[in-house]
Amino acid sequence: MKRITCVFIAAVFLAGGIAYAQGEMDAYKMSRNELNGTARYLGMSGAFGALGGDISSMSTNPAGLGIYRSSEVVTTISLSSAKTNSDWNGMSVDKSKTRFNFDNIAYVGYFPTGNDEGIVGWNIGLSYNRVKDFNRSYRMNGAQAYSVADYVADLLYGTDQNDLRYGDKNYDPYFDSSISWLGILGFDAGFVDNYAGNNKEYHSAFGHEKDGEWLNYSPQNVNLLVNEKGSIGQYNISFATNISDRFFLGATVAITDLDYTLSTEYTEDFTQNSQLRLDNGLSTDGTGYAFNIGAIVRPVDFLRVGVAYNSPTWYKMTDYFHGTAGTTINNKDWNTQNTPDYQSGDYRLRTPDRWIFSIAGVGQNFLISADYELTNYKRMVLNDVDGYELRTTEDIKKDFGMSGTLKVGAEYKITPQFSVRAGTLWKTSPMKQHVKDGIPPKNEKGEFEVDAIGIVGTIPSYTVDKGTNSYSVGLGYRFTPNFYMDLACVYRVYKEDGYAFPSTYQAGISDINKLLDEGVVVKSDPASLKTKTTQVALTLGYKF
């Protein structure tokens, strides 16, 4: 048997009084930006950093409010359809979800000073924006050599089985020990057994003994169903000013509301009339605050240059979760086991900040614009309620880096009333190459670490970002000098690798070929995930 010694993140959370908090991939999911806003903003793929004149500027470069020469009220609704295709070792599955959304409502007030030079006018903006949509479903179906039971056995290596059992009424292994919750649940549900005469080493319960050696079975059919729903909404208060029609300055204070729900159903079937089941439910509530500042300069009439800084969002978060597991071995059912229904203590998440650099050319009947956003996801931080960094923050620093987003958009006025728009967006993954390759990072000794990704709680599955592309088209029509309508369609492709559970490796290996040939303890094969989202948005606005 290959042996490893490691301390998983869950143990740190348990010992610190937070029995469940986000892992590094969860923190990224809550921090990752998406394209959302008015139909005009979407139609040009969000390339508005130097243009302004749209309420979506409040969430990116608030100096864009200074472009307004009238007051305005605006609202947007949308219909989104997300279809995720998974390909796992040759098995392909599609899963889709369609949803109607209320995306934003806003008011912009324009207050001219009557001056031709100096401060020409002031603007104030109030808005609600849905800045992120979590809604989607996907299914992974296939087969692989290792079972999640193998992972649980490795997770429990070195743990005395007596510490996993309920003893007297005052002892609860979930709350009175530093053992991972997945290990406790898997042990209770019969995922693993001890080696004969050894209380601290475990093997998958799915297998048989031959010549004194335990031989694990490989699952013949693995099925993972994931359902996600929820959103992040942002309430903005913005101020902007126009200086001599050449300089525009703005600032936004944002209050953010996060609501996320995840449910997973996982099964493994073995040819020996045996099955493993693991179901999980998680919901996360959070409130946060942030600020944005920005500037736009118009050195000549046809050119605008913008820069903006978007601060981190500082969240206060709470998790609610429940896990269930069970096994059938040789047609004999174990009793289904459950984790406690649990509400975590409060903890803190700080998302990364970002810089936005923009340039735009404006003609009589057309405009073209480009934005480049730079976000350092290495700056995500998870703290407990007292401000102490959780272990996950260390993993974030090892596994994440910079992400760049390029947005390009254009608009052409066919008539004074009718406009057409188009845009595109490219976003790179911030995950370091070793995460994309499914291998662990190296430590200061130049040796690979034992686990590729640390997980928290009883949900072992996760995804790895591989990049995003989107393409947009849009139309705009002004019915009267005051009333207008915009329509946009966005096609977005988000690529990921999905894992049923993390891989683990032997310690003390520095050569990549030896790691992959001899150092594997538990290997999890990735499924290729591709989420294609089609979003149609309608904006109605009134200027006065």
Side-chain angles (χ1 to χ4, degrees):
M1 175 185 176
K2 295 176 181 177
R3 300 181 179 184
I4 69 171
T5 302
C6 57
V7 179
F8 282 77
I9 301 171
V12 179
F13 286 141
L14 288 164
I18 298 178
Y20 195 109
Q22 292 181 1
E24 56 183 307
M25 296 304 175
D26 302 303
Y28 176 63
K29 186 183 300 180
M30 305 304 174
S31 302
R32 183 175 176 271
N33 296 315
E34 287 187 354
L35 178 66
N36 220 345
T38 65
R40 186 181 182 216
Y41 182 86
L42 292 173
M44 295 177 59
S45 291
F48 266 81
L51 286 175
D54 188 278
I55 65 101
S56 301
S57 299
M58 297 186 209
S59 299
T60 53
N61 186 351
L65 289 184
I67 303 296
Y68 275 91
R69 291 296 178 271
S70 63
S71 299
E72 181 180 35
V73 291
V74 62
T75 189
T76 303
I77 57 175
S78 69
L79 182 68
S80 297
S81 177
K83 180 179 180 180
T84 302
N85 170 266
S86 69
D87 190 318
W88 198 8
N89 292 329
M91 294 290 291
S92 182
V93 181
D94 290 334
K95 189 74 175 174
S96 61
K97 180 180 285 189
T98 300
R99 185 176 177 86
F100 174 83
N101 292 316
F102 173 72
D103 287 340
N104 57 59
I105 186 169
Y107 160 78
V108 176
Y110 172 58
F111 305 97
T113 62
N115 299 328
D116 294 328
E117 298 291 336
I119 297 179
V120 175
W122 294 92
N123 301 81
I124 183 173
L126 305 172
S127 73
Y128 163 79
N129 286 298
R130 173 188 283 260
V131 295
K132 187 175 180 66
D133 189 349
F134 291 112
N135 291 279
R136 73 164 177 173
S137 297
Y138 65 88
R139 182 187 296 275
M140 292 165 46
N141 183 259
Q144 59 180 357
Y146 289 88
S147 163
V148 72
D150 299 313
Y151 176 69
V152 170
D154 188 47
L155 193 66
L156 290 175
Y157 176 80
T159 301
D160 193 312
Q161 67 168 342
N162 295 316
D163 294 332
L164 294 166
R165 303 182 187 278
Y166 289 87
D168 61 56
K169 63 181 180 180
N170 295 319
Y171 175 76
D172 183 342
Y174 283 103
F175 296 101
D176 297 329
S177 71
S178 60
I179 306 168
S180 76
W181 281 45
L182 181 59
I184 299 170
L185 181 61
F187 178 82
D188 287 344
F191 286 13
V192 298
D193 287 327
N194 286 104
Y195 282 96
N198 191 329
N199 283 346
K200 294 187 178 182
E201 292 187 20
Y202 303 81
H203 61 77
S204 167
F206 302 89
H208 69 279
E209 190 172 0
K210 182 178 180 181
D211 299 330
E213 182 180 2
W214 183 264
L215 303 177
N216 294 331
Y217 295 144
S218 295
Q220 302 303 303
N221 183 58
V222 181
N223 189 73
L224 171 65
L225 174 63
V226 177
N227 285 295
E228 298 176 285
K229 64 180 181 178
S231 64
I232 298 178
Q234 194 174 79
Y235 302 86
N236 299 308
I237 303 174
S238 300
F239 301 90
T241 187
N242 174 351
I243 303 174
S244 302
D245 287 328
R246 294 296 180 187
F247 302 94
F248 306 88
L249 305 175
T252 293
V253 176
I255 304 298
T256 303
D257 180 48
L258 184 150
D259 174 31
Y260 175 73
T261 301
L262 169 72
S263 65
T264 66
E265 299 176 11
Y266 181 77
T267 60
E268 294 179 351
D269 292 313
F270 300 83
T271 57
Q272 294 75 21
N273 297 314
S274 301
Q275 185 186 61
L276 172 154
R277 302 176 298 280
L278 176 63
D279 298 337
N280 282 285
L282 164 68
S283 63
T284 301
D285 295 332
T287 56
Y289 62 92
F291 67 88
N292 304 329
I293 56 175
I296 296 175
V297 179
R298 190 174 70 168
V300 292
D301 290 346
F302 64 86
L303 180 65
R304 297 177 189 175
V305 179
V307 61
Y309 172 75
N310 293 178
S311 81
T313 299
W314 290 272
Y315 280 110
K316 178 181 179 181
M317 307 182 78
T318 304
D319 292 327
Y320 308 84
F321 66 95
H322 179 81
T324 301
T327 55
T328 300
I329 299 178
N330 296 325
N331 281 329
K332 180 181 178 180
D333 290 336
W334 281 67
N335 293 326
T336 299
Q337 300 294 318
N338 300 280
T339 65
D341 291 320
Y342 191 73
Q343 173 182 337
S344 75
D346 292 334
Y347 61 96
R348 316 283 181 173
L349 168 64
R350 189 189 75 190
T351 69
D353 52 0
R354 61 174 172 162
W355 286 91
I356 306 173
F357 305 94
S358 313
I359 189 168
V362 181
Q364 184 175 358
N365 296 317
F366 74 94
L367 55 86
I368 185 169
S369 179
D371 288 6
Y372 184 72
E373 300 179 4
L374 197 58
T375 308
N376 187 359
Y377 285 91
K378 189 175 182 178
R379 293 175 59 85
M380 295 184 294
V381 176
L382 278 164
N383 297 326
D384 66 17
V385 71
D386 295 319
Y388 294 101
E389 287 189 3
L390 300 177
R391 169 66 186 274
T392 302
T393 300
E394 298 179 19
D395 294 298
I396 288 170
K397 293 176 180 178
K398 290 185 294 185
D399 293 340
F400 286 85
M402 303 293 292
S403 172
T405 303
L406 177 62
K407 304 175 181 178
V408 179
E411 178 183 81
Y412 180 73
K413 285 188 176 182
I414 298 176
T415 70
Q417 291 78 33
F418 183 59
S419 302
V420 294
R421 305 172 184 119
T424 188
L425 175 152
W426 298 273
K427 181 180 177 68
T428 62
S429 169
M431 297 178 182
K432 293 184 179 179
Q433 193 60 46
H434 68 265
V435 179
K436 297 177 184 179
D437 293 339
I439 60 175
K442 288 187 174 182
N443 58 27
E444 63 277 2
K445 297 180 181 179
E447 299 172 343
F448 288 101
E449 298 185 358
V450 292
D451 58 324
I453 294 293
I455 60 101
V456 176
T458 60
I459 305 176
S461 58
Y462 65 96
T463 62
V464 173
D465 185 354
K466 304 299 283 287
T468 303
N469 296 329
S470 75
Y471 308 92
S472 308
V473 293
L475 304 172
Y477 190 79
R478 187 175 294 274
F479 296 96
T480 71
N482 304 99
F483 179 61
Y484 67 90
M485 178 185 74
D486 293 320
L487 185 68
C489 180
V490 182
Y491 178 71
R492 183 183 302 114
V493 179
Y494 177 37
K495 297 179 181 179
E496 302 163 277
D497 280 344
Y499 291 85
F501 50 86
S503 299
T504 59
Y505 300 86
Q506 287 182 290
I509 297 176
S510 57
D511 179 77
I512 183 62
N513 294 320
K514 185 177 180 181
L515 178 79
L516 299 178
D517 291 341
E518 305 173 19
V520 174
V521 177
V522 177
K523 185 70 172 67
S524 181
D525 297 331
S528 176
L529 299 179
K530 185 179 293 186
T531 300
K532 300 177 181 179
T533 303
T534 302
Q535 179 182 7
V536 178
L538 173 68
T539 296
L540 299 175
Y542 184 78
K543 295 179 179 291
F544 57 95

